[in-house]
Amino acid sequence: MTGYLLDSNAYDAILRHDDAARLQQAELELIASGIVLAELRQIAAAERRQALLALFFTLHGSAPQAAPSLASRDALLLAEARAADAILVSDDKALQAAGAVSYAGFRALF
């Protein structure tokens, strides 16, 4: 089964489309990323941060291992997805050029 590693902007899209329940019912392997978790924890707006962290833990259940420095976050995230033999889901155009799939493309799966 192909796994999917969601970039932080994919979590935003899940909230925006109210897709959490549908996604939980879908038979998709979602891979928790310590890099993304660290990024979500750094969001300044408390209400948005809490909503995104709640969604992260709803979808994944527990925290992954600690994330490395966020200095080269995009490269690390892409490498993490490849190491897990997963597809990265991101609306970041540079990541899409490197092989990530957009949230709209991912959303079509469930």
Side-chain angles (χ1 to χ4, degrees):
M1 174 182 279
T2 300
Y4 294 89
L5 195 153
L6 307 177
D7 193 1
S8 58
N9 58 47
Y11 290 93
D12 280 316
I14 293 166
L15 287 179
R16 187 172 51 254
H17 292 284
D18 197 25
D19 282 341
R22 284 182 52 214
L23 190 52
Q24 284 181 288
Q25 293 174 355
E27 293 185 20
L28 298 173
E29 179 184 357
L30 300 178
I31 298 168
S33 168
I35 296 167
V36 172
L37 179 58
E39 187 175 73
L40 296 177
R41 286 180 170 155
Q42 292 179 350
I43 293 172
E47 187 174 316
R48 180 171 167 249
R49 180 181 61 247
Q50 290 169 355
L52 289 167
L53 287 172
L55 174 60
F56 183 95
F57 289 111
T58 295
L59 294 177
H60 301 293
S62 62
Q65 293 181 352
S69 166
L70 294 179
S72 56
R73 180 192 112 20
D74 286 348
L76 291 170
L77 196 55
L78 191 56
E80 185 176 9
R82 288 179 177 160
D85 197 25
I87 296 171
L88 178 61
V89 179
S90 177
D91 284 333
D92 181 287
K93 298 301 181 197
L95 286 172
Q96 287 177 0
V101 65
S102 70
Y103 183 74
F106 172 70
R107 190 171 189 242
L109 299 172
F110 61 94

